[in-house]
Amino acid sequence: MNTKRLVQYALLLLFSASAGWAQMEKAPAYPLITHDPYFSIWSLTDELNEGITKHWTGAEQSLLGYVMVDGQAYNFMGQPEPPTEVILNASTEAPYTAKYTIIKPGDDWYTEGFDDSGWMEGETPYTDQDEFGGTVWISRAIWVRREFELKDVDQINKLLLRIRHDDDAYVYINGTLVLNAPYSNGRLETFLLEEAVARSLRNGKNLLAIECINTGGLAFLDAGLSNILKSNPDEKCLSAVQKSVEVKATQTLYAFTCGPIDLNLTFTSPLVLDDLDLLSRPVSYISCEVKSNDGKTHDVKVYMGASSDIAVNEISQTVYAEQMNEENMRILKTGTTDQPVLGRSGDDLRIDWGYLYVATPQGEGVTQNITGADVIPPPFDIKSGNKTTSRRLLLNTVYDLKQVSSEPREALLLLGYDDLYSIQYFGQNLRPWWNRDEKNSLKTELAKACKDYKSVIEKCENVNRTIYNDALNAGGEKYAELCVLAYRQAIAAHKLVRSPDGEILFLSKANNSYGSVNAGDVNYPSAPLFLAYNPDLLKGMLNGIFYYSSSRKWKKNFPAHDLGTYPLANGQISGGDMPVEEAGSMIILAAALSYIEGNTAYADQHWEQLTQWAQYLKTEGFDPASQRSTDDFAGPLVRNANLSAKTVVALACYGMMADMRGNKALAHQYTALARNLAHKWMAMADAGDHYALTFNDTNTWSQKYNLIWDKILKLGIFPQEVYTRETAYYIDMQNAFGLPLDSRKTYTKSDWTMWTAALTDSDNDFEAFIAPIHKFARKTEDHVPLSDWHDTVSGRKIGFKARSVVGAYFIKVLADQME
């Protein structure tokens, strides 16, 4: 612990009792319910009551909250979903046909006067996926024209376009471009169109025209139009005034004023890394605490609701809901009627099997009911039956707290999700870890969670303090706030299960980047968080790759890139081999585990594979030819200096493990080889005041983040002058929102910048690298779960969100632990 950090830590301890533990107060998005890639609900607005809460993919998953104070209603959580009507159905609502062509038409193809008599006619959707039916589309592009008739267009209030497109889509209405969407989505995404577009609609014939280009992979196109109906919400319902929000490692805390009542709302997802049973329990708490702020007593009711959309992939799916009283709890349960268990795989997907549970302790004044989502809130007094089948339901819980004084009163809601089966692992469906022996039920888990509420909250508060203080001591306040923000996001992009052989499997989903299961180039950057706080979870991230790569299913002399597409871990299907990248990652992470645990017990189990991969790197890795890498955003590179450095470090790691195993000759061979290659690397990458991006172009530069493992594992392969020269050069290359990844573009990967920052021994330089990333997190205009890929000039997201790779932020914490 250096002197500057010691002073910071002492001051924190001195003032914490009265001032509280400072945490992140401004974020791109705010985690509310975070357990795994499917059970993950966020607020994408700075004020909790400004918008509808959403799944990390952007799909609406509504949580609602109201409080009634002496007859006056206040909205404190979420926004009600506006009532809509279908103008033009999508195929999920009712089949339809449209005219289409796969031969490029004339330039005026999207206009109303265009002659489409030579076009084909086919039923939607247009896709290459048999499961959806419709019309087969396997060409690169498709052009679609759909005429439709309208009556009473003056009744159209706000026009919504709903479209699912894979990939790029360009949409026209009556000859006017209304949507330019050069990307792919995985659901019917809704776009509010400009008022002028709505006004262009007329009674009689209208035209919807779409061009969709399949840039690679799957193909899909379907679209429809809807109208947001004019509604008359209760004008007497006021917005609660949000006074503050704090994001802590395991909690997000809001404070509101609701007239004469203060309301504190706390979301707790108990992601406690050293308690696997608690970590895997898919139950979050929503605590609503109210008290008088004017010295008087007030009549108070609290309402909290959850949408059945949390249990569907598409809002068109039919759900079943029921009400029950069990385990001394009131429980509402909902899920789809068809229950397609593990029936879908991909990126932009939500779970549509298993069941959402909304529970609360039984007590006087607590009632629950089920209503349609079109009920205009606040629904304090709505009556309903205890079983319902429909689309889009609300699960409602009301707490009549009666007279509330300055003494706080609490309303506690528990949200849980039973996914029944979590992962298909090489043909076998696996239960979640909490039900690995198939003897448990979510009702039992809810009862445990309720009974242990106070002790669980205490554990979470301890985690909050530990995560913040460790990061503060390692890198300062801004660094600590970034680590806090990354914590839940990194963990909740995984699912914890047990393999058929009894091993831990902690399987990541590559959120917002193809949806791969357990991708090596996702696990590698996220590793520092788990190395720091529970190395067994890192083993759970490596076990699947070791198993697959040693099986007859994998026949290559380097590791697999991934295990499939989430949640189907049946083997790599992407064809996206990264031989040097993944071989280096697996060896380095095995060495890091050996270093932390003080033995090679884990590496010993996989020594044959590690040896094979070291031999591959020995022959192919130092001066890599045409190798895919994790940083190919600007195009693939040959003679990649950072990838070469990874090879050198990995070979040294193999030598370190050989030495720990007592094989001195093998250790000497690989350590000497690594040292020799390091000196050769310095000469080949030398660009004067820095080292180049590639060996063949000294007019370039790049972040050499892979060197960090040489430093923190104390391998001593590269001399200190390499770190010093590189970090000094990087300081001058920074922009307002960070250090570019390399000289080709202005964007960066913040996970790698964190590793680069940790190369320096200077507190001031480290903080200089961290400050722009912190600025991005606080000021970016992209309200999504933290992106790791952003432009350093504009502060805008380039791509990626909600990914586990932000676990990389904990590299400085890990480095300090390994001092």
Side-chain angles (χ1 to χ4, degrees):
M1 183 183 294
N2 60 55
T3 303
K4 180 179 177 181
R5 298 281 184 257
L6 184 61
V7 171
Q8 288 178 327
Y9 190 63
L11 288 173
L12 179 71
L13 291 175
L14 179 64
F15 292 111
S16 63
S18 60
W21 298 92
Q23 305 282 354
M24 196 76 172
E25 297 176 349
K26 179 74 168 60
Y30 301 85
L32 306 179
I33 309 294
T34 47
H35 289 277
D36 60 45
Y38 286 139
F39 197 27
S40 180
I41 306 173
W42 298 68
S43 171
L44 307 188
T45 54
D46 290 330
E47 307 280 325
L48 181 59
N49 54 7
E50 277 186 340
I52 299 172
T53 57
K54 298 183 178 183
H55 185 259
W56 70 258
T57 58
E60 293 179 358
Q61 294 192 337
S62 179
L63 300 174
L64 283 173
Y66 293 85
V67 61
M68 185 80 77
V69 183
D70 298 331
Q72 173 63 62
Y74 297 86
N75 165 226
F76 61 84
M77 176 168 61
Q79 281 287 309
E81 298 166 5
T84 62
E85 66 174 355
V86 173
I87 295 176
L88 195 61
N89 58 286
S91 65
T92 53
E93 295 151 342
Y96 67 89
T97 60
K99 290 197 169 184
Y100 74 95
T101 182
I102 58 174
I103 300 172
K104 184 174 175 60
D107 292 342
D108 60 343
W109 68 272
Y110 56 86
T111 62
E112 295 167 90
F114 180 80
D115 181 7
D116 60 11
S117 59
W119 288 27
M120 295 176 284
E121 190 167 347
E123 188 172 288
T124 55
Y126 302 101
T127 181
D128 59 355
Q129 301 166 66
D130 294 340
E131 63 184 286
F132 295 102
T135 298
V136 175
W137 168 33
I138 56 174
S139 61
R140 175 173 169 77
I142 191 168
W143 292 261
V144 175
R145 288 170 55 89
R146 182 182 181 188
E147 287 191 347
F148 60 99
E149 292 201 7
L150 291 178
K151 299 178 180 179
D152 301 323
V153 293
D154 56 338
Q155 296 300 309
I156 294 176
N157 177 36
K158 294 182 178 180
L159 187 63
L160 299 174
L161 170 68
R162 294 170 299 116
I163 182 170
R164 178 175 174 181
H165 54 94
D166 191 349
D167 295 285
D168 306 349
Y170 306 91
V171 183
Y172 302 82
I173 293 178
N174 290 341
T176 299
L177 180 67
V178 299
L179 180 70
N180 181 343
Y183 60 90
S184 168
N185 61 16
R187 68 185 190 283
L188 277 175
E189 189 174 3
T190 300
F191 299 89
L192 177 62
L193 301 180
E194 295 180 0
E195 289 185 17
V197 178
R199 290 196 300 270
S200 74
L201 296 176
R202 54 184 174 270
N203 291 328
K205 287 187 178 180
N206 294 268
L207 176 67
L208 175 68
I210 307 172
E211 176 185 8
C212 192
I213 301 172
N214 181 20
T215 58
L218 302 177
F220 197 99
L221 180 61
D222 184 26
L225 297 172
S226 293
N227 175 35
I228 298 179
L229 297 173
K230 295 177 182 177
S231 60
N232 298 303
D234 187 351
E235 295 179 357
K236 297 179 181 177
C237 182
L238 303 177
S239 292
V241 177
Q242 183 173 307
K243 297 187 295 184
S244 66
V245 57
E246 281 187 281
V247 178
K248 300 187 178 184
T250 65
Q251 296 177 301
T252 301
L253 301 87
Y254 292 90
F256 297 92
T257 296
C258 308
I261 290 293
D262 287 339
L263 185 151
N264 292 326
L265 189 69
T266 302
F267 296 87
T268 304
S269 295
L271 303 186
V272 180
L273 289 177
D274 62 359
D275 185 338
L276 297 189
D277 289 336
L278 180 57
L279 173 67
S280 68
R281 179 191 293 163
V283 177
S284 280
Y285 303 98
I286 307 177
S287 167
C288 181
E289 187 180 82
V290 294
K291 66 177 181 179
S292 171
N293 61 28
D294 64 358
K296 299 178 182 179
T297 300
H298 301 277
D299 184 69
V300 176
K301 292 181 180 178
V302 172
Y303 162 87
M304 289 188 279
S307 170
S308 62
D309 289 352
I310 298 169
V312 304
N313 181 52
E314 299 278 1
I315 60 174
S316 59
Q317 291 178 278
T318 302
V319 294
Y320 168 82
E322 64 176 315
Q323 184 175 351
M324 63 194 81
N325 294 322
E326 295 186 25
E327 304 277 2
N328 293 316
M329 305 190 76
R330 296 181 183 274
I331 301 173
L332 299 170
K333 173 185 174 183
T334 188
T336 58
T337 55
D338 55 349
Q339 288 295 302
V341 177
L342 296 170
R344 304 175 192 269
S345 63
D347 186 14
D348 190 356
L349 293 176
R350 278 81 26 217
I351 194 168
D352 58 0
W353 70 88
Y355 298 93
L356 170 70
Y357 287 75
V358 178
T360 190
Q362 286 189 357
E364 184 180 354
V366 180
T367 58
Q368 289 189 312
N369 56 54
I370 303 163
T371 61
D374 57 348
V375 171
I376 297 175
F380 283 97
D381 301 310
I382 291 175
K383 302 294 188 290
S384 72
N386 61 1
K387 293 183 180 180
T388 304
T389 300
S390 182
R391 294 181 181 178
R392 309 199 79 181
L393 299 173
L394 266 179
L395 310 185
N396 310 301
T397 305
V398 176
Y399 304 82
D400 187 351
L401 301 179
K402 301 188 184 303
Q403 297 299 299
V404 173
S405 64
S406 58
E407 192 68 27
R409 297 284 304 279
E410 183 182 34
L412 180 63
L413 193 72
L414 286 74
L415 259 63
Y417 205 100
D418 183 359
D419 58 6
L420 305 178
Y421 289 95
S422 304
I423 296 287
Q424 188 173 96
Y425 187 70
F426 297 99
Q428 184 168 338
N429 292 351
L430 302 183
R431 299 279 189 183
W433 179 272
W434 61 268
N435 193 25
R436 57 195 179 278
D437 295 322
E438 302 191 51
K439 298 177 181 179
N440 209 345
S441 72
L442 195 68
K443 293 174 189 175
T444 302
E445 289 298 303
L446 286 165
K448 289 179 186 175
C450 189
K451 177 177 176 292
D452 299 339
Y453 172 54
K454 290 185 178 179
S455 63
V456 170
I457 294 299
E458 184 177 346
K459 284 185 178 182
C460 289
E461 289 173 344
N462 287 336
V463 170
N464 295 344
R465 284 189 288 270
T466 298
I467 295 300
Y468 184 80
N469 290 340
D470 285 356
L472 177 71
N473 184 43
E477 185 176 5
K478 290 179 180 178
Y479 175 67
E481 290 181 354
L482 288 168
C483 287
V484 164
L485 188 59
Y487 183 83
R488 267 178 285 170
Q489 176 173 315
I491 300 168
H494 295 81
K495 190 68 183 184
L496 185 64
V497 294
R498 185 174 65 183
S499 78
D501 295 329
E503 291 185 318
I504 293 174
L505 293 175
F506 192 51
L507 300 177
S508 62
K509 177 179 181 180
N511 288 345
N512 202 218
S513 50
Y514 304 110
S516 299
V517 186
N518 219 44
D521 59 332
V522 170
N523 291 341
Y524 178 59
S526 68
L529 169 61
F530 306 105
L531 279 166
Y533 294 106
N534 189 346
D536 284 344
L537 290 172
L538 179 58
K539 296 174 187 176
M541 295 156 66
L542 304 183
N543 284 337
I545 296 293
F546 275 124
Y547 168 78
Y548 179 39
S549 296
S550 65
S551 71
R552 295 180 179 178
K553 304 176 184 68
W554 185 257
K555 304 182 185 300
K556 301 175 183 179
N557 60 344
F558 49 80
H561 170 266
D562 58 72
L563 300 182
T565 303
Y566 195 92
L568 306 183
N570 294 322
Q572 180 177 310
I573 61 175
S574 66
D577 291 343
M578 294 185 182
V580 171
E581 192 80 72
E582 306 303 1
S585 294
M586 294 296 288
I587 293 171
I588 290 169
L589 294 180
L593 284 166
S594 300
Y595 185 99
I596 285 174
E597 295 185 332
N599 62 72
T600 60
Y602 184 73
D604 291 347
Q605 299 172 42
H606 309 289
W607 193 248
E608 182 178 347
Q609 289 167 271
L610 292 169
T611 298
Q612 181 186 56
W613 297 336
Q615 290 170 347
Y616 174 83
L617 291 179
K618 183 178 177 181
T619 59
E620 303 291 338
F622 175 68
D623 193 354
S626 182
Q627 284 268 348
R628 288 184 69 236
S629 79
T630 190
D631 297 333
D632 282 347
F633 310 112
L637 289 170
V638 295
R639 312 194 73 191
N640 183 333
N642 184 49
L643 194 60
S644 174
K646 187 175 191 177
T647 290
V648 176
V649 172
L651 293 173
C653 283
Y654 182 80
M656 181 196 83
M657 289 186 287
D659 184 64
M660 293 176 70
R661 297 179 84 234
N663 191 333
K664 302 300 181 181
L666 187 64
H668 175 75
Q669 176 189 342
Y670 273 86
T671 302
L673 172 63
R675 287 204 174 97
N676 178 57
L677 291 177
H679 287 288
K680 188 176 179 181
W681 183 95
M682 292 169 62
M684 292 171 64
D686 191 357
D689 58 353
H690 68 283
Y691 294 95
L693 168 67
T694 61
F695 289 144
N696 57 332
D697 190 350
T698 58
N699 295 313
T700 59
W701 64 271
S702 65
Q703 294 189 41
K704 308 301 189 303
Y705 54 82
N706 282 312
L707 294 173
I708 188 60
W709 296 103
D710 180 45
K711 180 180 180 181
I712 64 178
L713 295 177
K714 301 178 177 59
L715 299 172
I717 300 300
F718 286 89
Q720 178 63 38
E721 67 183 86
V722 174
Y723 309 141
T724 303
R725 185 195 297 189
E726 280 291 277
T727 54
Y729 184 82
Y730 297 150
I731 288 290
D732 293 333
M733 294 296 105
Q734 291 211 111
N735 294 318
F737 293 96
L739 175 68
L741 184 61
D742 59 48
S743 51
R744 293 176 293 174
K745 300 285 184 178
T746 59
Y747 55 60
T748 195
K749 292 284 276 85
S750 59
D751 49 348
W752 299 140
T753 302
M754 287 286 188
W755 288 22
T756 295
L759 290 172
T760 181
D761 290 326
S762 163
D763 288 346
N764 290 335
D765 286 352
F766 180 81
E767 291 174 4
F769 287 122
I770 299 306
I773 301 175
H774 185 270
K775 180 180 178 181
F776 164 75
R778 291 183 64 91
K779 295 186 179 296
T780 182
E781 296 177 25
D782 296 303
H783 293 285
V784 298
L786 186 59
S787 172
D788 55 283
W789 184 18
H790 72 268
D791 186 75
T792 61
V793 175
S794 68
R796 299 302 302 268
K797 173 179 74 74
I798 300 295
F800 301 161
K801 59 184 176 182
R803 301 209 312 159
S804 64
V805 300
V806 293
Y809 289 13
F810 287 82
I811 191 73
K812 189 67 166 62
V813 170
L814 178 66
D816 276 22
Q817 289 181 2
M818 296 169 71
E819 284 289 338

